[in-house]
Amino acid sequence: MLPWAFRRLPGPHQEMFRYQEAVRGYLCQEINRHKLSASEAPKAFISCYLAQITKVDDPVSTFSEDNLIQVVIDLFLGGTDTTATTLRWALFYMVQHRAIQGKVQQELHTVLGTSGAVRYEDRKRLPYTRAVLHEVQRVSSVVTVGAVRQCVTSTRVQGHPVPKGTIILPNLASVLYDPECWETPQQFNPGHFLDKDGNFLVNEAFLPFSAGHRVCLGDQLARMELSLMFATLLRTFQFQLPEGSPGLRLDYVFRGTRQPQPQKICAVPRLSCPNTGPREEGL
Ligand code: HEM
């Protein structure tokens, strides 16, 4: 409520500001590095943004170095914890459901064999693996409530009036667990995304990235990262509980996103471990 006062008050929260300054310092260095290597056809996000700052001859332009720093911070905040947490859930669910882990590994082996790295296009030939990953995202519901939004104009949603200025908190978990949209909403069931012939099935209630104009900006990047990492990890390792483990806890702890409980699992290299060196054709 009073950010300027918060900054001046002593206390443990000052550590947060120190981290913030460290991140900003690092980004300033990165921006300077990109300035020095500026080219005619910039490719990296920072270079493109810098080119835009110099191009835009508009007195009210929002393109500035300060804004660039904030945008890069937003991308890191939005894109790191969400994807890493989803991947952790995926591995825990695979340990909990060994038969499903085995079926994913079998599909990866049958379709991709043992050589070469996984490519994003491969997902089309891997309906079961794709369904499992979708089910992980549905059940873990990592971003359980979307970002806070404010209604810019008066409207109606399913007949209910929503006046201009209303604060909106989209409850994404309510859709991901809606009993009218999912056969067994509370259970981990990859069948939610498969038809009777085992083909991948799109379900419109799959909204972990939210929907509409302000849908997650990293949606496609996240799907690509998750698909490549999940398939590569399962091809390479068998995930299981360590000896003597009392079992997994799949209830979540809330730390801004829904996180799994900190607990140990083992990654045992598989005998038929593929050679996952980079392929010529890249991603
Ligand atoms: C599994 C991974 C991810 C999940 C579940 C996720 C989910 C979400 C959700 C639910 C929103 C709120 C949308 C709304 O308000 O309606 C959001 C916004 C956003 N996400 Fe993601 N996200 C993920 C990965 C990423 C990645 C990889 C990036 C970028 C590198 C990213 C960047 C952003 C940004 C910048 C916004 C704000 C967009 C805006 O305000 O218009 N996210 N994300």
Side-chain angles (χ1 to χ4, degrees), residues 74-75 78-79 82-83 86 137 142-143 146-147 149 170 172 208-211 214-219 221-222 225-226:
D74 284 350
L75 290 175
T82 45
T83 316
T86 307
Q137 283 205 269
V142 167
V143 184
R149 305 290 184 202
L172 300 178
F209 299 102
S210 196
R214 302 299 291 268
V215 65
C216 171
L217 175 142
D219 169 341
L221 176 64
E225 288 175 335
L226 288 172

Side-chain angles (χ1 to χ4, degrees), residues 15-29:
E15 201 171 347
M16 181 182 79
F17 292 122
R18 277 195 292 279
Y19 282 131
Q20 210 178 28
E21 283 316 310
V23 172
R24 290 183 76 88
Y26 166 72
L27 288 176
C28 284
Q29 277 177 29

